[in-house]
Amino acid sequence: TIIEAFIQKARTYIYTTALLPSLAATIIHTLNMIKESNDMRLHIRELVADYKKLSKKAGVRVSKFDSHIQPLIIGGANETIQVSKALYKKNILVSAIRPPTVPKDTSRLRISITAAHTKKDISFLVKTISNILNGHG
């Protein structure tokens, strides 16, 4: 009786049993995007592999992770910021992550590879990073 009274009378519960049509449509659209985005996931995976292969070839350290986020440990916070700024001047946006987010002397660049990137973008990124780290950028 008490439960039924709450179900029928509680203001916060009344009219909450059905989803809004707009929310239902959003959920359906999102599920369809997930089903149809396998090509994008494969593209990102290929770009990450290209990034790692090109980085190794250029002598740039690579992460052991196969994530679309590739950390590049630079070391000092100031040096990491300078590399991030140098990349920005080349129209490459890469965030500098530094203490207290990461331990002292492990500041890093947070390279985020997306489906919008191309193999040409990855090649340009690695060449630019390599040039900057070798004092040519």
Side-chain angles (χ1 to χ4, degrees), residues 42-86:
L42 292 174
H43 177 63
I44 292 169
R45 200 174 293 156
E46 288 173 7
L47 293 177
V48 169
D50 284 350
Y51 168 78
K52 292 177 108 174
K53 180 180 77 176
L54 292 170
S55 293
K56 284 179 187 175
K57 188 175 177 182
V60 175
R61 286 170 272 157
V62 295
S63 167
K64 62 182 176 183
F65 305 109
D66 288 328
S67 166
H68 70 285
I69 297 172
Q70 289 293 304
L72 175 56
I73 296 176
I74 303 295
N78 289 334
E79 183 184 2
T80 304
I81 291 169
Q82 293 308 313
V83 174
S84 178
K85 285 180 179 179

Side-chain angles (χ1 to χ4, degrees), residues 72-130:
L72 175 56
I73 296 176
I74 303 295
N78 289 334
E79 183 184 2
T80 304
I81 291 169
Q82 293 308 313
V83 174
S84 178
K85 285 180 179 179
L87 287 167
Y88 186 75
K89 287 179 183 176
K90 301 287 186 178
N91 295 318
I92 301 172
L93 181 60
V94 177
S95 299
I97 310 299
R98 53 200 190 283
T101 307
V102 295
K104 185 178 179 193
D105 297 325
T106 67
S107 292
R108 62 201 67 190
L109 298 176
R110 184 180 194 264
I111 299 167
S112 299
I113 299 171
T114 73
H117 290 114
T118 65
K119 290 183 179 227
K120 187 177 176 182
D121 294 330
I122 299 302
S123 178
F124 180 67
L125 169 68
V126 172
K127 285 178 189 174
T128 306
I129 289 172
S130 178

